[in-house]
């Protein structure tokens, strides 16, 4: 029905992109976005490093691979249309040890299968032509990898929703989701909203909100804090584009890297440490409720048993700037503690299965009138417009 109301929980970039897509594809449909904060894009979107990924890392045939490549094209055109910064500064994925060359070769084949544009292999002597201060023995160069301002993009999506007659209802923490005749009632402590269908894009709280809707299936969200250093302003010129390590296939995290931002700053990081609260942007932020939920989940203990050594290493970097910069100095030799200051931090909503497996691909469940985004980590911001297309196809399939 074209005159129905679609509710969306979560005003991050995925929720807002989805609301915009509904409005575009279903004229006459009313979109209501419900957000517990008093601004849009406060959490993962607002703490994003701004990288527009080209699709190098993702398993061919996965949702990540398909939606990332599609999403880049949509996002690039949208940013240019709206005047949002979008700079193709390029990325080097750099091997610094001989034992990384095999993984880099596999990554190259994966990227080719994903149709990453203009990717090429770079020999050691060519690295300096692209990044004069970078180290490494070989690299992959992705000249089309870009940076943007994701909170600005999210803000434009919100404007589109409101221009279509939709509503962004801020300060609405969802506490109940109840089926009613021919619809769903979504409640907060002070108000209730009736919708015909509901889409859950709750990010760090995606599992708990899905549970309110009766979707108790795995996975569970485990928060990982990623902390950054910033190159001092007088050292920011040392890096022209993005400089990344060859990723470890055991982890969905990409390792410490150098990331120029659209404001001219350069981030170094992030690490990946278990956060003690879902919104634990500071080391001192602790949520007993979140910790109890973590301790009561078998998958968390199985994950810890598999990866405790890596966890200790990451915490060491969290507590010591010297330890943090040890690996970074392999990629831009000579850059050390004296060249950086502490930067910000983000929290990644990492989905975890009961067997302790870190979920890599996007996961989206549909159950009747409710569609739940259960896992949407990086490159969700890059792919947000393509994820929105996918969700809307799922929601309205056959109707």
């Amino acid at each position: 029905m074209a005159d129905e109301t679609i509710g969306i929980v979560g005003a991050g970039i995925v929720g807002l992109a989805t609301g915009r897509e509904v409005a575009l594809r279903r004229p006459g449909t009313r979109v209501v976005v419900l957000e517990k904060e008093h601004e849009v894009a406060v959490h993962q979107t607002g703490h994003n490093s701004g990288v527009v990924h080209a699709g190098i890392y993702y398993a061919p045939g996965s949702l990540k691979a398909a939606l990332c490549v599609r999403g880049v094209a949509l996002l690039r055109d949208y940013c240019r249309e709206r005047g949002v910064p979008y700079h193709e500064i390029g990325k080097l994925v750099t091997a610094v040890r001989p034992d990384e060359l095999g993984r880099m070769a596999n990554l190259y084949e994966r990227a080719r299968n994903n149709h990453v544009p203009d990717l090429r292999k770079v020999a050691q002597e060519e690295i300096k032509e692209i990044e004069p201060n970078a180290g490494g023995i070989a690299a992959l160069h992705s000249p089309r990898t870009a940076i943007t301002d994701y909170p600005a993009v999210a803000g434009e999506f919100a404007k589109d929703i409101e221009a279509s007659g939709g509503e962004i209802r801020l300060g609405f923490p969802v506490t109940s989701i109840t089926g009613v005749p021919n619809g769903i009632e979504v409640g907060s402590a002070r108000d209730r909203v009736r919708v015909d269908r509901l889409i859950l894009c709750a990010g760090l709280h995606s599992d708990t909100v899905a549970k309110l809707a009766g979707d108790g299936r795995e996975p569970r969200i485990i928060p990982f804090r990623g902390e950054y250093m910033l190159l001092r302003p007088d050292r920011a010129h040392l890096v022209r584009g993005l400089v990344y390590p060859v990723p470890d296939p055991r982890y969905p995290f990409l390792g410490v890297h150098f990331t120029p931002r659209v404001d001219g700053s350069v981030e170094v990081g992030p690490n990946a440490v278990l956060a003690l609260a879902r919104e634990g942007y500071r080391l001192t932020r602790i949520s007993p409720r979140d910790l109890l939920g973590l301790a009561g989940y078998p998958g968390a203990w199985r994950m810890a048993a598999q990866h405790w050594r890596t966890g200790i290493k990451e915490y060491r970097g969290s507590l010591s700037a010297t330890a943090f910069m040890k690996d970074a100095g392999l990629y831009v030799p000579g850059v050390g503690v004296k060249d950086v200051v502490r930067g910000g931090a983000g929290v990644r909503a990492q989905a975890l299965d009961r067997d302790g497996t870190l979920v890599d691909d996007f996961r989206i469940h549909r159950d009747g009138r409710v569609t739940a985004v259960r896992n949407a980590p990086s490159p969700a911001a890059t792919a947000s417009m393509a994820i929105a297309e996918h969700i809307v196809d799922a929601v309205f399939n056959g109707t």
Side-chain angles (χ1 to χ4, degrees):
M1 295 175 59
D3 58 350
E4 62 187 349
T5 298
I6 304 299
I8 296 172
V9 177
I13 196 167
V14 173
L16 293 168
T18 302
R20 174 184 177 274
E21 186 68 17
V22 171
L24 287 173
R25 300 256 294 268
R26 309 280 290 195
T29 298
R30 181 169 178 264
V31 174
V32 180
V33 180
L34 306 172
E35 168 58 49
K36 73 184 183 70
E37 304 294 351
H38 294 279
E39 299 177 61
V40 303
V42 168
H43 291 293
Q44 291 185 107
T45 305
H47 293 81
N48 194 289
S49 64
V51 177
V52 182
H53 293 282
I56 296 172
Y57 306 104
Y58 317 118
S62 66
L63 271 180
K64 273 190 175 184
L67 298 183
C68 181
V69 173
R70 167 70 176 158
V72 170
L74 294 170
L75 181 65
R76 180 179 60 242
D77 291 348
Y78 187 81
C79 287
R80 289 173 178 170
E81 174 191 327
R82 295 304 177 93
V84 175
Y86 187 98
H87 307 308
E88 291 184 344
I89 62 172
K91 174 194 286 187
L92 279 177
V93 181
T94 309
V96 296
R97 292 180 289 268
D99 62 2
E100 296 176 332
L101 294 175
R103 297 208 314 263
M104 193 176 75
N106 292 337
L107 196 64
Y108 178 73
E109 292 304 318
R110 174 173 285 196
R112 288 188 61 191
N113 287 332
N114 291 341
H115 307 290
V116 173
D118 303 327
L119 185 77
R120 67 187 184 94
K121 298 177 181 178
V122 174
Q124 185 172 18
E125 57 272 16
E126 294 180 85
I127 291 175
K128 297 292 186 184
E129 297 174 12
I130 300 166
E131 284 286 349
N133 298 296
I137 58 175
L140 303 179
H141 184 222
S142 171
R144 302 289 292 277
T145 297
I147 55 174
T148 190
D149 181 341
Y150 284 119
V153 174
E156 292 297 314
F157 290 164
K159 292 176 186 176
D160 291 341
I161 292 170
E162 292 175 330
S164 75
E167 179 183 3
I168 314 293
R169 189 170 295 191
L170 303 173
F172 193 107
V174 172
T175 57
S176 66
I177 298 173
T178 308
V180 297
N182 301 314
I184 300 165
E185 186 177 81
V186 186
S188 72
R190 298 183 179 180
D191 202 359
R192 278 171 164 56
V193 174
R194 186 199 175 281
V195 300
D196 294 284
R197 310 185 202 222
L198 185 65
I199 302 169
L200 308 179
C201 303
L204 288 160
H205 301 276
S206 61
D207 54 347
T208 57
V209 173
K211 188 176 180 180
L212 291 176
D215 183 358
R217 291 173 287 181
E218 312 296 338
R220 184 76 64 86
I221 293 299
I222 305 297
F224 281 88
R225 185 174 61 257
E227 301 158 331
Y228 290 89
M229 298 287 184
L230 285 172
L231 285 184
R232 294 182 183 276
D234 63 331
R235 304 294 278 168
H237 70 278
L238 294 174
V239 179
R240 293 177 175 176
L242 299 146
V243 181
Y244 275 57
V246 178
D248 187 330
R250 295 173 298 172
Y251 303 105
F253 315 112
L254 294 175
V256 170
H257 45 269
F258 289 79
T259 307
R261 303 293 302 266
V262 294
D263 64 3
S265 63
V266 178
E267 290 181 331
V268 187
N271 58 358
V273 298
L274 186 66
L276 304 181
R278 289 183 186 243
E279 298 170 14
Y281 300 106
R282 300 186 306 276
L283 186 63
T284 55
R285 175 73 186 275
I286 299 172
S287 166
R289 180 178 180 179
D290 291 343
L291 284 177
L292 284 172
L294 184 67
Y297 185 54
W301 294 101
R302 291 169 181 147
M303 176 192 71
Q306 296 174 51
H307 304 301
W308 64 271
R309 289 182 179 85
T310 299
I312 290 173
K313 178 184 175 183
E314 294 293 306
Y315 268 109
R316 188 178 297 123
S318 178
L319 298 171
S320 165
T322 300
F324 189 103
M325 292 300 297
K326 182 179 178 182
D327 286 343
L330 297 173
Y331 300 94
V332 182
V335 171
V337 175
K338 66 183 184 307
D339 302 300
V340 297
V341 295
R342 287 278 179 183
V347 180
R348 174 190 176 112
Q350 175 60 52
L352 183 70
D353 275 331
R354 182 169 287 268
D355 65 0
T357 301
L358 297 167
V359 179
D360 186 51
D361 206 2
F362 300 144
R363 284 197 189 173
I364 301 168
H365 295 167
R366 181 185 173 190
D367 186 7
R369 293 177 180 269
V370 179
T371 301
V373 179
R374 297 298 301 262
N375 189 49
S378 179
T382 299
S384 57
M385 298 178 78
I387 293 172
E389 290 181 336
H390 180 82
I391 291 170
V392 173
D393 286 342
V395 170
F396 296 106
N397 183 34
T399 67

